[in-house]
Amino acid sequence: MHVVVGANGRAGGEVALALLERGEAVRVVLRRKEQGAKWTALGAEVAIASIEDAGAMADALKSAAGAFLLNPPPVSGDPLVRTEELGAALADAAKRARLPKAVILSSIGAQHASGTGVIATLNRFEALLDKAAPATAFLRSGYFVETWSEVVKAVLTESVLPTFLEPSQKIPMVSTIDVGRAAASVLCEEWTGKRVVELSGPQDRSAGDVASAFTEVIGRPVVPVLVPPERRAALLAEDGVPAEVAAALLGMFEGIAKGLFTQQNDNEHRRGTISLTTAIERFIASAGR
């Protein structure tokens, strides 16, 4: 039995689906009972628990052969404080449940303790969960291709791709489909101690490449438009992003621009197979439902 935390999110959901496709027994951990019908229909067991509740999480992790754990994207408050709370709770829960194996979602660039905004919280998250299980793997993912779904309205209505990334800068990008498959694969492997697995897509990509992929999918030219740094905080505020969370997100883009979103040679490296166009076709289809 593999336990998946965050199954209703982008990455966690793909991990649960990938495990089920492999024929593995899966228990998903959800916050609310009404979220479970989809997973029950797919053949998964459902446990109800909040990540910050160490006792409930320990119950959800009991008898598991392994678990996929993550630090959910911040939505309010100080992201680092939130990371400390959630990381401590998950580590406590894993130890109470005597979890033998954990795959923990992180990010490329998490080797840096500062200078990378919200990614730096994953540096701390890794430290908190370093000894959560006898076998621990940190899955450092590239920039999610699915993040571009957040600007799909502008793409479809204005044929522009707003971006905080310099359009020609290539960075590791990966679809959450590949994240799910990689996490499921690692969970089904045997090892002891700590390992770091860095995951990127078939090729490193830029915002310009993403615009070209949108052009191919929708059949008309899409132009990447760099949002000036001085405009970004206001745009996030207009979208309802709290100031502390916005600062952490903007810090991430500053770190990427400075070249800190890079892999380390001494870690394991894997590449996914999902192309930009395949990922974009999927989330455009989802947006149209």
Side-chain angles (χ1 to χ4, degrees), residues 12-14 30 45-46 58 65 68 72 81 89 106 108 113 119 131 135 141 161 163 165 191 228 235 247 264 282:
E14 295 294 349
L30 307 173
E45 184 179 315
V46 174
F68 174 78
V81 171
S106 186
I108 289 173
I119 295 174
K131 293 181 174 59
S141 167
L161 180 78
T163 173
L165 298 171
W191 80 95
L235 284 177
Q264 293 180 292
R282 188 178 73 151

Side-chain angles (χ1 to χ4, degrees), residues 86-112:
L86 293 182
L90 278 176
D92 184 19
K95 289 173 183 175
R96 290 196 207 183
R98 296 185 180 181
L99 182 68
K101 183 192 305 181
V103 174
I104 299 155
L105 184 63
S106 186
S107 172
I108 289 173
Q111 67 267 29
H112 302 292

Side-chain angles (χ1 to χ4, degrees), residues 1 4 17 77 103 115 117 123 164 216 219 221 287:
M1 171 73 72
V4 177
L17 289 173
V103 174
N123 176 278
F164 290 3
E216 182 179 343

